[in-house]
């Protein structure tokens, strides 16, 4: 295959990919687009922190790369990305003594809780809170100078913040559910009106024909 043909094939593949993304995003709600903007902002902040305070170890570099990858994936695969973020954040807290440099996981964890609130059940909220708070508490006790969380006040404030953003996700989910129900009700009402209008038209047409 010549270079020109390979270039054309690559260009066509890129155009198909862009078209697929546009078609996928056309079905997004306002909340989905807000999550996209927040994820992009958090990704920019994470990259800036990575540049300004780069990790010193391979483990730190790997965790920073995973964090940025998860933020990039968050708008497209929110449930999977949210759980990946919970576990990456937990690993980062457990290994904070090895390498405390690199981007912070705070904003990504908050976004993960919003995503869990939008897509999952209550027991997953409890499990994610237990994992996050237990690892943060361990790190705060083991490395108080690095973490900077007071015990118990700082941990309690973190737990309340995580629960609040989870409830925001839950409210978004129920709002979307009620919107879908209302849309479905309007569609059914329109169909009933059209059916009655069709019956009325047939009845009038039949009467006029007999006359």
């Amino acid at each position: 295959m010549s270079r020109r043909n390979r270039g054309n094939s690559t260009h066509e593949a890129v155009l198909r990919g862009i078209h697929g993304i546009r078609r996928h995003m056309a079905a997004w709600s306002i909340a989905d687009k807000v999550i996209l903007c927040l994820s992009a902002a958090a990704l920019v902040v994470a990259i800036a922190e990575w540049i300004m305070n780069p990790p010193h170890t391979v483990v730190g570099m790997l965790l920073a790369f995973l964090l940025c990858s998860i933020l990039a994936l968050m708008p497209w695969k929110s449930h999977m990305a949210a759980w990946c973020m919970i576990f990456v954040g937990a690993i980062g807290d457990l290994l904070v003594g090895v390498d405390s440099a690199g981007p912070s996981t705070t904003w990504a964890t908050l976004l993960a809780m919003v995503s869990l609130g939008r897509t999952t059940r209550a027991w997953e909220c409890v499990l994610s809170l237990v994992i996050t708070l237990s690892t943060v508490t361990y790190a705060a006790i083991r490395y108080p100078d690095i973490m900077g969380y007071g015990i118990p006040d700082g941990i309690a404030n973190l737990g309340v913040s995580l629960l609040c953003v989870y409830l925001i996700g839950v409210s978004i989910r129920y709002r979307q559910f009620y919107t879908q129900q209302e849309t479905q009700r309007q569609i059914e009402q329109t169909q009933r009106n059209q059916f009655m209008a069709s019956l009325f038209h047939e009845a009038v047409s039949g009467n006029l024909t007999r006359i």
Side-chain angles (χ1 to χ4, degrees), residues 29 31-32 34-35 38 78 82 109-122 125 160-178:
S29 65
D32 293 323
V34 170
I35 292 296
L38 292 177
S78 60
T109 303
L110 293 174
L111 278 174
M113 293 304 297
V114 174
S115 298
L116 289 176
R118 292 183 62 196
T119 58
T120 59
R121 296 172 292 275
C125 167
V160 171
S161 299
L162 294 174
L163 182 60
C164 288
V165 294
Y166 173 82
L167 293 177
I168 290 174
V170 172
S171 67
I172 293 173
R173 180 179 61 185
Y174 281 108
R175 175 68 178 271
Q176 290 177 333
F177 174 76
Y178 288 132

Side-chain angles (χ1 to χ4, degrees), residues 63 82-96 105 109 127-128 130-139 147:
L63 290 175
W83 273 112
C84 289
M85 187 60 243
I86 295 298
F87 287 114
V88 168
I91 294 171
D93 291 333
L94 295 175
L95 299 178
V96 70
T105 60
T109 303
L127 181 59
S128 61
V130 169
I131 292 173
T132 302
L133 294 179
S134 60
T135 54
V136 170
T137 302
Y138 166 81
M147 295 298 293

